[in-house]
Amino acid sequence: MKFKTLKIWSITAFASGMFLACAQTKTATASKPSTEMSQSGKVVPTNLKWSERMLLSEMHRFPESWMLDFSKSPKWTYPSAIVLDGAEKVYAKTGKKEYYDYISSFGEKLIKEDGTILTYEMDKYNIDMLNSGNVLLYLYEKEKKEKYLKALQTLRSQIDGMPRTSEGGFWHKKIYPNQMWLDGLYMGEPFYAHYTKDFSKGADAEKAYNDIINQFDLIQKHLLDKKTGLLYHAWDESKEQKWADKQTGQSPNFWGRAMGWYGMAMVDVLDYLPKNHPGRARLISYIKSYTDAILKVQDKETGLWYQVLDKGGEKGNYLEATASAMFVYTMIKSVNDGYLPKSYKTAAKKGYDGIIKNLISVDENGVVNLNKCCAVAGLGGNPYRSGSYEYYVNEEIRSNDAKGTGPFILASLEFEK
């Protein structure tokens, strides 16, 4: 009898232990972030919306947010901020804490306790460096950490010292004198407008908003091609650059992503520009003429856009992901916010569907990839970038560039509203 009792007790204890282990396993699984392998064997569940699927895929590829866009060490640079802008909105929609933690870790890693920004050098007066300030504006609003406020004030003081053209347009960088690039409008103006809304009042705020609108006015004045409605990549006021037209100072081609940056700049600035500001209607009119121009060069079959916008049939040109995602985001946000008539949604949806059909691939584990992204393009520098057609189509092409995945997340969120 004693042996039987002992045997029964052992079985009961073993069963209880198994139950406890199972319970602990279930609890552990439940608390793991959704970037871990799900029960279906997928790293990224396929039943989620595209915005969340792409964000989770980026988090899987780049476990620390400072790694976004293939960074090998923590550095203050702009592409990560675009993905994190999407992450802010996905977090607001889902409430999933791992998304907030991913954003927050960027600030924790890049901003020292005294407010110093890791790897940032103000004396370079590089307008690209302002863009990641958008992440700090978000984190300061949420966490009120003094170090974020100090870092924001540093970035805002860069604006005061930025070298400018004779009409007040920001140079793209100190090393690119007298030059305004379309890219710079996205890099600088949404941050400038958001900071002004949060921290400036009265005459100071009015002066800042006027300054912001002036940047767009100057772009329309100096970079617009009146024949096509498209905008050239850059303008050199001095007309000294080898890439600059000797009469107009314009660069020679319409680069897709440069125009993509410009469209995003307009719709994002409007989030912060006061409703009664006299420049608001002008900015909305720019969006309309801009959109009409890009629709004329939208590929009829796929709904996508080419690396060099107006030369779709030429050798080496290709349907490019970052520009396509940016155009789609600009259009659908403009429709949702009332800047464009609802009829424009059809073209935006065609572009969005074209991205999913032609440029998105999904791995067996559910991880989503965005393919055919132009890695980088610019003008001047060393080695010298000429802005020729051959230059643009021969720059590196890669997958999962943050300059494409970020706008894809943002565009997806607009379609998911």
Side-chain angles (χ1 to χ4, degrees), residues 44-173:
V44 178
T46 54
N47 62 338
L48 298 172
K49 300 285 189 185
W50 280 112
S51 59
E52 199 171 355
R53 289 172 72 182
M54 183 59 87
L55 177 58
L56 285 169
S57 299
E58 287 285 80
M59 292 169 70
H60 175 72
R61 277 186 286 272
F62 306 109
E64 299 286 339
S65 52
W66 61 261
M67 298 175 180
L68 281 161
D69 207 50
F70 309 98
S71 286
K72 297 286 185 277
S73 59
K75 64 177 179 178
W76 188 254
T77 183
Y78 68 88
S80 44
I82 314 164
V83 175
L84 296 178
D85 183 15
E88 291 167 21
K89 294 171 173 65
V90 174
Y91 170 65
K93 185 180 171 184
T94 65
K96 293 179 183 176
K97 188 173 180 291
E98 63 260 36
Y99 302 147
Y100 184 83
D101 292 344
Y102 193 67
I103 304 161
S104 183
S105 68
F106 183 80
E108 283 302 320
K109 194 74 178 179
L110 271 299
I111 310 300
K112 297 178 184 175
E113 283 309 308
D114 64 357
T116 305
I117 303 168
L118 220 61
T119 77
Y120 168 77
E121 298 170 77
M122 192 195 290
D123 60 4
K124 288 187 173 178
Y125 288 103
N126 178 351
I127 204 164
D128 289 345
M129 295 302 106
L130 298 178
N131 186 54
S132 284
N134 292 312
V135 183
L136 302 186
L137 285 163
Y138 174 80
L139 290 175
Y140 182 69
E141 189 181 305
K142 295 285 187 186
E143 300 176 10
K144 291 292 184 282
K145 287 185 179 174
E146 189 69 17
K147 69 173 189 172
Y148 294 147
L149 180 60
K150 287 177 180 174
L152 285 165
Q153 289 166 342
T154 298
L155 293 171
R156 177 60 183 82
S157 67
Q158 179 184 319
I159 293 173
D160 292 334
M162 283 294 291
R164 295 173 181 247
T165 68
S166 62
E167 298 166 295
F170 295 128
W171 292 6
H172 193 64
K173 299 179 186 180

Side-chain angles (χ1 to χ4, degrees), residues 29-48:
T29 305
S31 66
K32 277 186 180 180
S34 48
T35 44
E36 297 293 323
M37 194 75 78
S38 66
Q39 287 181 338
S40 64
K42 304 282 187 192
V43 171
V44 178
T46 54
N47 62 338
L48 298 172

Side-chain angles (χ1 to χ4, degrees), residues 29 53-54 63 90 142 152 217-218 229 240 252 256 267-268 272 306 361 383-384 411:
T29 305
R53 289 172 72 182
M54 183 59 87
V90 174
K142 295 285 187 186
L152 285 165
D217 289 342
L218 292 173
E240 290 174 358
V267 293
D268 286 2
Y272 308 107
Y306 280 89
S361 60
Y384 198 83

Side-chain angles (χ1 to χ4, degrees), residues 255-261 264 290 294-295 297-299 302-309 317-332 347-356 358-360 370-374 403-412 415:
W255 177 40
R257 185 156 76 231
M259 276 202 68
W261 289 131
M264 290 176 67
Y290 165 98
I294 60 171
L295 290 182
V297 291
Q298 185 178 24
D299 182 59
T302 62
L304 301 172
W305 285 267
Y306 280 89
Q307 166 77 338
V308 179
L309 289 171
N317 210 354
Y318 60 96
L319 295 165
E320 199 275 328
T322 66
S324 295
M326 289 175 179
F327 291 149
V328 167
Y329 167 66
T330 298
M331 275 195 284
I332 188 59
K349 185 70 164 65
K350 185 175 182 180
Y352 184 64
D353 291 344
I355 293 169
I356 292 166
N358 299 284
L359 301 176
I360 291 280
L370 181 67
N371 306 305
K372 289 197 177 178
C373 301
C374 170
K403 299 180 287 293
T405 56
F408 178 77
I409 293 168
L410 293 168
S412 297
F415 278 108

